[in-house]
Amino acid sequence: MVKRLIEEIKKKNAPVVAGLDPVLGYVPEYIQKKAFKEHGETLEGAAEAVWQFNKGIIDAIYDLVPAVKPQIAMYEQFGVPGIAVFKKTIDYCKEKGLVVIGDVKRGDIGSTSAAYATGHLGSVKVGSTECPAFNEDFITVNPYLGSDGINPFLDICNKENKGIFILVKTSNPSSGEFQDKEFEGVPLYELVARKVAEWGTGCMDGSYSNVGCVIGATYPGMGKALRKILPHNYILVPGYGAQGGTAKDLKPYFNEDGLGAIVNSSRGIIAAYKQEKYQKYGEQGFAEASRQAVIDMVKDINSIL
Amino acid sequence: MVKRLIEEIKKKNAPVVAGLDPVLGYVPEYIQKKAFKEHGETLEGAAEAVWQFNKGIIDAIYDLVPAVKPQIAMYEQFGVPGIAVFKKTIDYCKEKGLVVIGDVKRGDIGSTSAAYATGHLGSVKVGSTECPAFNEDFITVNPYLGSDGINPFLDICNKENKGIFILVKTSNPSSGEFQDKEFEGVPLYELVARKVAEWGTGCMDGSYSNVGCVIGATYPGMGKALRKILPHNYILVPGYGAQGGTAKDLKPYFNEDGLGAIVNSSRGIIAAYKQEKYQKYGEQGFAEASRQAVIDMVKDINSIL
């Protein structure tokens, strides 16, 4: 699957992923009002508003970006109707030829991770029928439980040609609280990175592995060190834009071939119309504002490659 | 909420939680066949089979246990229909007076954790209406992202009188891979435990905190050490029975007052009819077998208190 991701990145000349992380506050009022009129101020109403918002953005940007990353928490907050829109969003993005990275950060003991792997990347057997459930192309995974929590994901990656991104160093301010603790001089995030490299060797797909990792944009120094430990693993980089990372910071995350990393922006793209820079588009032009924000971001990222 | 949990434990004289982690292999064939006849070999069919299975077990054990712990992965594997049955199971258990611990192991950066906290423990604002989504009483939380990934859960615990159990030391064989790594002589799980104690002080509910932790049954030595670090935090203990923990191992997890821990069994209860010990109940008697397994487990656990 990473081979396909790379093809799409090259085709669109954009090592960029759009984070589809809708909170209701980002959804233009006129869309919310219409949805609430039809479904009431209910979870269904909220989910419908999110769906219309997503659809507008996807239609406006699908020809520019290789991939999208819906953050499941933003859908889960709206309960079952929210999860239904998470699935609808995945299906619609795949119809549009986009690679879908489910940002789910799942991870548990072996048998439970197997259920997550099945539900998000594989198919569950019902009677004698194989039924795919969410069917993302990639998902993000939490490593806290160690190898036997990761192995079921590796199995599915190989069986179904799917991929995962394992959390190594996250972009939030307190990520260092545990991740930076040093064990015989080696920080935890580096111990995890070494394991990611090891796990990844069994899941090669061309010159990169289907096992990638997540490293926040806000640590260019760490990015450089980790790039060396993980030469064949794609880095999914959150934290660009709204969270403070700049294009200049991102150079160390890429390999010499200009590949090896894909940079996410969520708020910066989907809520672009709320920024002063894109104010002229107004609420009605929210999708066009997102399109312009993608164009600007791709230009910014490519300027360092 | 921990006060309510303790009341229920005392009332039923059972520091025990039943893990509702259904895989299709546990569901008696006659239930599967009926569900597939109505809904086909589809995700809907699988979800309906799981629901009928859960309902049978809940009806048979709700007067014996204070709490249930549905593992969301087992529902998520069946996609949107599976998640709908997760919600239906929560609602049904609450109707029956059970405390519901959603085993979701969520955890992310601050704004994303806030969405998980809202969706599982709080209410999301839709227009001017507060809408609860999954509405569990407790959930499990992954600490890898540090304080700002935990704080939104603490806020909701206080606002809504709900609770969380934070992963400290999990019951799986490779849990030590990262969790046991020592930083200046202190293992990571203990660093996390110290943080749990700190986070918990702001969320007291009677003599215990609404912030508890997860420590696997398979490490009595660690249980003893961690009990001292966490005198006011409830310990949710997985790994009893099927995963190898015995009642004798569990003594150190409890405080002198006989409180402070609640022991989970999943397979050992819900798939009891598949064990030689409860064979006489047969498939048709699966729920009665579960009831007997609960009675035996409660007796076993109480024998050490």
Coordinates of all heavy atoms in Angstrom, one line a residue, chain B residues 109-161:
Chain B
I109 N -3.8 13.6 21.3 CA -3.4 15.0 21.7 C -4.6 15.6 22.3 O -5.7 15.1 22.1 CB -2.9 15.8 20.5 CG1 -4.0 16.0 19.4 CG2 -1.7 15.2 19.8 CD1 -3.6 17.1 18.4
G110 N -4.4 16.8 23.0 CA -5.5 17.4 23.8 C -6.8 17.5 23.1 O -7.8 17.0 23.6
S111 N -6.9 18.2 21.9 CA -8.2 18.5 21.3 C -8.9 17.2 20.9 O -10.1 17.1 20.9 CB -8.0 19.4 20.1 OG -7.0 18.9 19.2
T112 N -8.1 16.2 20.5 CA -8.7 14.9 20.1 C -9.1 14.1 21.3 O -10.2 13.5 21.2 CB -7.6 14.2 19.2 OG1 -7.2 15.0 18.2 CG2 -8.2 12.9 18.6
S113 N -8.3 14.1 22.3 CA -8.8 13.4 23.6 C -10.1 14.1 24.1 O -10.9 13.4 24.6 CB -7.7 13.5 24.6 OG -6.7 12.5 24.5
A114 N -10.2 15.4 23.9 CA -11.4 16.1 24.3 C -12.6 15.5 23.6 O -13.7 15.3 24.2 CB -11.3 17.6 24.1
A115 N -12.4 15.2 22.3 CA -13.5 14.6 21.5 C -13.9 13.2 22.0 O -15.0 12.9 22.1 CB -13.2 14.6 20.0
Y116 N -12.8 12.4 22.3 CA -13.1 11.1 22.8 C -13.8 11.2 24.2 O -14.7 10.4 24.5 CB -11.8 10.3 23.0 CG -11.2 9.7 21.8 CD1 -9.9 9.9 21.4 CD2 -12.0 8.9 21.0 CE1 -9.4 9.3 20.3 CE2 -11.5 8.3 19.8 CZ -10.2 8.5 19.5 OH -9.6 7.9 18.3
A117 N -13.3 12.1 25.0 CA -13.9 12.3 26.4 C -15.4 12.6 26.3 O -16.3 12.1 26.9 CB -13.2 13.3 27.2
T118 N -15.7 13.6 25.4 CA -17.0 14.0 25.1 C -17.9 12.9 24.6 O -19.0 12.6 25.1 CB -17.0 15.1 24.0 OG1 -16.3 16.3 24.5 CG2 -18.4 15.5 23.6
G119 N -17.4 12.1 23.6 CA -18.2 11.1 23.0 C -18.5 9.9 24.0 O -19.5 9.3 23.9
H120 N -17.5 9.6 24.8 CA -17.7 8.4 25.6 C -18.2 8.7 27.0 O -18.9 7.9 27.6 CB -16.4 7.6 25.7 CG -16.1 6.9 24.5 ND1 -16.7 5.7 24.1 CD2 -15.3 7.2 23.4 CE1 -16.3 5.3 22.9 NE2 -15.4 6.2 22.5
L121 N -17.9 9.9 27.6 CA -18.3 10.2 29.0 C -19.2 11.4 29.1 O -19.8 11.5 30.1 CB -17.0 10.3 29.8 CG -16.1 9.1 29.9 CD1 -14.8 9.5 30.7 CD2 -16.7 7.9 30.6
G122 N -19.1 12.3 28.1 CA -19.9 13.5 28.3 C -21.0 13.7 27.3 O -21.6 12.7 26.9
S123 N -21.2 15.0 26.9 CA -22.2 15.3 25.9 C -21.7 16.3 24.9 O -20.9 17.2 25.3 CB -23.4 16.0 26.6 OG -24.1 15.1 27.5
V124 N -22.0 16.1 23.7 CA -21.5 17.0 22.7 C -22.7 18.1 22.4 O -23.8 17.7 22.5 CB -21.2 16.3 21.4 CG1 -22.3 15.6 20.7 CG2 -20.5 17.2 20.4
K125 N -22.2 19.3 22.2 CA -23.2 20.4 22.0 C -23.6 20.4 20.5 O -22.7 20.6 19.7 CB -22.7 21.7 22.5 CG -23.8 22.7 22.7 CD -23.3 23.8 23.6 CE -24.5 24.7 24.0 NZ -24.2 25.9 24.8
V126 N -24.9 20.2 20.2 CA -25.4 20.3 18.8 C -26.4 21.4 18.8 O -27.4 21.3 19.4 CB -26.0 19.0 18.4 CG1 -26.5 19.1 17.0 CG2 -25.1 17.8 18.6
G127 N -26.0 22.5 18.2 CA -26.8 23.7 18.3 C -26.9 24.2 19.7 O -25.8 24.4 20.3
S128 N -28.1 24.2 20.3 CA -28.1 24.6 21.8 C -28.5 23.4 22.6 O -28.9 23.5 23.8 CB -29.1 25.7 22.0 OG -30.3 25.3 21.4
T129 N -28.4 22.1 22.0 CA -28.8 20.9 22.7 C -27.5 20.1 23.1 O -26.6 19.9 22.3 CB -29.7 20.1 21.8 OG1 -30.7 20.9 21.3 CG2 -30.3 18.9 22.6
E130 N -27.5 19.6 24.4 CA -26.4 18.7 24.8 C -26.8 17.3 24.5 O -27.8 16.8 25.0 CB -26.2 18.8 26.3 CG -25.8 20.2 26.8 CD -24.2 20.4 26.7 OE1 -23.5 19.4 26.5 OE2 -23.8 21.6 26.7
C131 N -26.0 16.6 23.7 CA -26.3 15.3 23.3 C -25.3 14.3 23.8 O -24.1 14.3 23.3 CB -26.4 15.1 21.7 SG -27.6 16.2 21.0
P132 N -25.6 13.4 24.7 CA -24.7 12.3 25.0 C -24.6 11.3 23.9 O -25.6 11.1 23.2 CB -25.3 11.7 26.3 CG -26.8 12.0 26.2 CD -26.9 13.3 25.4
A133 N -23.4 10.8 23.7 CA -23.2 9.8 22.6 C -23.2 8.4 23.1 O -24.2 7.7 23.2 CB -22.0 10.2 21.8
F134 N -22.0 7.9 23.6 CA -22.0 6.5 24.1 C -22.3 6.4 25.5 O -22.9 5.5 26.0 CB -20.6 5.9 23.8 CG -20.4 5.7 22.3 CD1 -19.5 6.5 21.6 CD2 -21.1 4.7 21.7 CE1 -19.4 6.3 20.2 CE2 -20.9 4.5 20.3 CZ -20.1 5.3 19.6
N135 N -21.9 7.4 26.3 CA -22.4 7.6 27.7 C -22.0 6.4 28.6 O -22.9 6.0 29.4 CB -23.9 7.8 27.7 CG -24.3 8.6 28.9 OD1 -23.5 9.2 29.6 ND2 -25.6 8.6 29.2
E136 N -20.8 5.9 28.5 CA -20.3 4.9 29.5 C -20.1 5.6 30.9 O -20.1 6.9 30.9 CB -19.0 4.3 29.1 CG -19.0 3.5 27.8 CD -18.4 4.2 26.6 OE1 -18.8 5.4 26.4 OE2 -17.6 3.6 25.9
D137 N -19.9 4.8 31.9 CA -19.7 5.4 33.3 C -18.2 5.6 33.5 O -17.7 6.6 34.1 CB -20.2 4.4 34.3 CG -21.7 4.3 34.2 OD1 -22.4 5.3 34.1 OD2 -22.2 3.1 34.3
F138 N -17.4 4.6 33.0 CA -15.9 4.7 33.0 C -15.4 4.3 31.6 O -16.1 3.6 30.9 CB -15.3 3.6 33.9 CG -15.5 3.9 35.4 CD1 -16.7 3.5 36.0 CD2 -14.5 4.5 36.2 CE1 -16.8 3.6 37.4 CE2 -14.7 4.7 37.5 CZ -15.8 4.2 38.2
I139 N -14.2 4.8 31.2 CA -13.5 4.2 30.1 C -12.1 4.0 30.4 O -11.6 4.5 31.4 CB -13.6 5.0 28.8 CG1 -13.0 6.4 29.0 CG2 -15.0 5.1 28.2 CD1 -12.8 7.2 27.7
T140 N -11.4 3.1 29.7 CA -10.0 2.9 29.8 C -9.3 3.9 28.9 O -9.8 4.3 27.8 CB -9.6 1.5 29.5 OG1 -10.0 1.2 28.2 CG2 -10.1 0.5 30.5
V141 N -8.1 4.4 29.3 CA -7.4 5.4 28.6 C -5.9 5.0 28.4 O -5.3 4.5 29.4 CB -7.5 6.8 29.3 CG1 -6.6 7.8 28.7 CG2 -9.0 7.3 29.3
N142 N -5.3 5.4 27.3 CA -3.9 5.1 27.0 C -3.0 6.3 27.3 O -3.3 7.4 26.9 CB -3.7 4.7 25.5 CG -2.3 4.2 25.2 OD1 -1.3 5.0 25.5 ND2 -2.2 3.1 24.6
P143 N -1.9 6.2 28.1 CA -1.2 7.4 28.6 C 0.0 7.8 27.7 O 0.7 8.8 28.1 CB -0.6 6.9 29.9 CG -0.3 5.4 29.6 CD -1.4 4.9 28.7
Y144 N 0.2 7.2 26.6 CA 1.5 7.4 25.8 C 1.7 8.8 25.5 O 2.9 9.3 25.4 CB 1.5 6.5 24.6 CG 2.8 6.5 23.8 CD1 3.9 5.8 24.4 CD2 3.0 7.0 22.6 CE1 5.1 5.8 23.7 CE2 4.2 7.0 21.9 CZ 5.3 6.4 22.5 OH 6.5 6.4 21.8
L145 N 0.6 9.6 25.3 CA 0.8 11.0 24.9 C 1.0 12.0 26.0 O 1.2 13.2 25.8 CB -0.3 11.5 24.0 CG -0.2 10.9 22.6 CD1 -0.9 9.5 22.5 CD2 -0.7 11.8 21.5
G146 N 1.0 11.5 27.3 CA 1.2 12.4 28.4 C 0.0 13.3 28.9 O -1.1 13.1 28.4
S147 N 0.3 14.2 29.8 CA -0.7 14.9 30.5 C -1.7 15.6 29.6 O -2.9 15.6 29.9 CB -0.1 16.0 31.4 OG 0.6 15.4 32.5
D148 N -1.3 16.3 28.6 CA -2.3 17.0 27.8 C -3.2 16.1 27.0 O -4.3 16.6 26.6 CB -1.7 18.2 27.0 CG -0.7 17.9 26.0 OD1 -0.6 16.7 25.6 OD2 0.2 18.7 25.7
G149 N -2.8 14.8 26.9 CA -3.8 13.9 26.3 C -4.7 13.3 27.4 O -5.7 12.7 27.0
I150 N -4.4 13.5 28.6 CA -5.2 13.0 29.7 C -6.1 14.0 30.3 O -7.3 13.7 30.7 CB -4.3 12.4 30.9 CG1 -3.4 11.3 30.4 CG2 -5.1 12.0 32.1 CD1 -4.1 10.0 30.1
N151 N -5.7 15.3 30.3 CA -6.4 16.3 31.0 C -7.9 16.4 30.5 O -8.8 16.6 31.4 CB -5.7 17.7 30.8 CG -4.5 17.8 31.7 OD1 -4.4 17.1 32.7 ND2 -3.5 18.6 31.2
P152 N -8.2 16.3 29.2 CA -9.6 16.4 28.9 C -10.5 15.4 29.5 O -11.7 15.6 29.8 CB -9.6 16.2 27.3 CG -8.2 16.6 26.9 CD -7.3 16.2 28.1
F153 N -9.9 14.2 29.8 CA -10.7 13.1 30.4 C -10.9 13.5 31.9 O -12.0 13.3 32.4 CB -9.9 11.8 30.3 CG -9.8 11.2 28.9 CD1 -8.6 11.3 28.2 CD2 -10.9 10.7 28.3 CE1 -8.5 10.8 26.9 CE2 -10.9 10.2 27.0 CZ -9.7 10.2 26.3
L154 N -9.9 14.1 32.5 CA -10.0 14.5 33.9 C -11.1 15.6 34.0 O -12.0 15.5 35.0 CB -8.7 15.1 34.5 CG -7.5 14.2 34.4 CD1 -6.3 14.9 35.0 CD2 -7.7 12.8 35.0
D155 N -11.1 16.5 33.1 CA -12.2 17.6 33.1 C -13.6 17.0 33.1 O -14.4 17.4 33.8 CB -12.0 18.5 31.9 CG -10.7 19.3 32.0 OD1 -10.1 19.4 33.1 OD2 -10.3 19.9 31.0
I156 N -13.8 16.0 32.2 CA -15.1 15.4 32.0 C -15.4 14.6 33.3 O -16.6 14.6 33.7 CB -15.2 14.5 30.7 CG1 -15.0 15.4 29.5 CG2 -16.5 13.7 30.7 CD1 -16.3 15.9 28.9
C157 N -14.4 13.9 33.8 CA -14.7 13.1 35.1 C -15.3 14.0 36.1 O -16.2 13.7 36.8 CB -13.4 12.5 35.6 SG -12.9 11.0 34.6
N158 N -14.7 15.2 36.3 CA -15.2 16.1 37.3 C -16.5 16.7 36.9 O -17.4 16.9 37.8 CB -14.1 17.2 37.6 CG -13.0 16.7 38.4 OD1 -13.2 15.8 39.3 ND2 -11.8 17.2 38.2
K159 N -16.7 17.1 35.7 CA -17.9 17.8 35.2 C -19.1 16.8 35.3 O -20.2 17.2 35.7 CB -17.7 18.3 33.8 CG -18.7 19.3 33.3 CD -18.4 19.8 31.9 CE -19.7 20.1 31.2 NZ -19.7 19.9 29.7
E160 N -18.9 15.6 34.9 CA -20.0 14.7 34.7 C -20.0 13.6 35.8 O -20.9 12.6 35.7 CB -19.9 14.0 33.3 CG -19.8 15.0 32.2 CD -21.1 15.5 31.6 OE1 -22.1 15.0 32.1 OE2 -21.1 16.4 30.8
N161 N -19.1 13.6 36.7 CA -19.0 12.5 37.7 C -18.8 11.2 37.0 O -19.7 10.2 37.1 CB -20.1 12.5 38.7 CG -19.9 11.4 39.8 OD1 -18.7 11.0 40.1 ND2 -20.9 10.8 40.4

